[in-house]
């Protein structure tokens, strides 16, 4: 294990890994004032292009499975499941996600499991995919097919990155056009600070 006692486990895709940029969203979880900084280690399993079942497989094969030092699991994977994954409906997505969270809850009965809603990306989706995105994000906090086993959901970044029409706002798009998929550095900071808010409330960072 490169980091023998990480306290955070991060599951994700290109949005969480910091692909194309120097800083992943997790870079912004810590206080900037070094004198106040609390910096527990992060074990990051995210891979660009990955989907929920892919991250579950990587977790099961990793040295971090059921590792006692883990205090929080941040799940920031799912955007590729809309259009690229095996799931074609919201119910399919929720089934895959709940299979993952049930496994994590069994392996980490006292750790915080944190779900991160999918950032706005209407401009990169077809009509049916956009409808699925809407339903998927609603499922994090309820809906007809709710996601379960989450201690809390990170969602404030969705509005902050939104251009008002569910597109990724141009000033936060790294893809060179409004409504892209990948947030730029400023967008990733918004996501990271949104995650940090919950960690602060739980006393997991300072």
């Amino acid at each position: 294990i490169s980091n023998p006692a990480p306290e955070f486990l991060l599951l994700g895709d290109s949005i969480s890994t910091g692909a194309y940029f120097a800083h992943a969203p997790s870079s912004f979880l810590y206080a900037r004032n070094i004198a106040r900084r609390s910096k527990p280690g992060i074990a990051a399993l995210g891979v660009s292009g990955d989907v929920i079942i892919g991250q579950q497989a990587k977790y099961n094969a990793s040295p971090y499975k059921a590792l006692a030092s883990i205090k929080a699991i941040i799940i920031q994977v799912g955007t590729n499941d809309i259009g690229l994954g095996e799931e074609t409906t919201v119910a399919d997505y929720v089934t895959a996600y709940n299979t993952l969270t049930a496994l994590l809850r069994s392996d980490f009965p006292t750790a915080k499991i944190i779900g991160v809603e999918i950032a706005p990306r209407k401009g990169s989706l077809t009509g049916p995919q956009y409808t699925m995105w809407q339903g998927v994000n609603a499922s994090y906090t309820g809906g007809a097919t709710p996601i379960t086993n989450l201690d809390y959901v990170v969602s404030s970044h969705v509005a902050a990155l939104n251009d008002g029409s569910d597109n990724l706002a141009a000033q936060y798009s790294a893809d060179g056009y409004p409504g892209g998929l990948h947030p730029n550095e400023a967008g990733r900071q918004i996501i990271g600070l949104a995650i940090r808010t919950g960690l602060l409330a739980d006393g997991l960072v300072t």
Side-chain angles (χ1 to χ4, degrees):
I1 303 175
S2 58
N3 184 347
E7 295 187 3
F8 296 157
L9 177 63
L10 177 60
L11 307 181
D13 45 42
S14 62
I15 311 300
S16 69
T17 61
Y20 319 118
F21 289 92
H23 298 101
S26 57
S27 302
F28 303 102
L29 299 185
Y30 310 114
R32 293 193 175 194
N33 183 340
I34 294 176
R36 294 173 49 247
R37 184 173 295 169
S38 167
K39 195 167 185 178
I42 298 176
L45 297 178
V47 176
S48 294
D50 215 349
V51 293
I52 295 167
I53 61 173
Q55 282 292 281
Q56 180 170 322
K58 290 176 180 64
Y59 163 71
N60 277 327
S62 79
Y64 306 111
K65 183 174 172 64
L67 190 65
S69 63
I70 299 293
K71 296 181 179 179
I73 304 98
I74 302 163
I75 306 173
Q76 196 185 349
V77 66
T79 194
N80 294 310
D81 291 81
I82 301 177
L84 297 179
E86 296 180 3
E87 302 83 18
T88 58
T89 68
V90 173
D92 291 340
Y93 180 102
V94 171
T95 295
Y97 203 102
N98 283 348
T99 300
L100 172 61
T101 57
L103 171 65
L104 294 171
R105 178 55 70 209
S106 176
D107 285 352
F108 301 102
T110 63
K112 297 292 183 181
I113 302 178
I114 304 160
V116 182
E117 287 188 13
I118 299 173
R121 51 166 302 194
K122 182 179 180 181
S124 63
L125 299 172
T126 65
Q129 290 170 351
Y130 169 59
T131 299
M132 184 175 172
W133 173 85
Q134 291 177 301
V136 161
N137 270 2
S139 72
Y140 281 85
T141 52
T145 51
I147 288 172
T148 57
N149 287 306
L150 295 178
D151 289 288
Y152 57 88
V153 174
V154 177
S155 60
S156 63
H157 63 290
V158 178
L161 297 173
N162 204 310
D163 71 348
S165 298
D166 290 339
N167 294 301
L168 180 61
Q171 66 267 34
Y172 299 124
S173 176
D175 295 314
Y177 59 92
L181 167 62
H182 298 97
N184 60 17
E185 194 86 351
R188 289 163 193 265
Q189 182 173 10
I190 286 172
I191 297 170
L193 293 178
I195 297 170
R196 173 176 162 78
T197 298
L199 298 177
L200 274 171
D202 279 329
L204 295 175
V205 295
T206 58

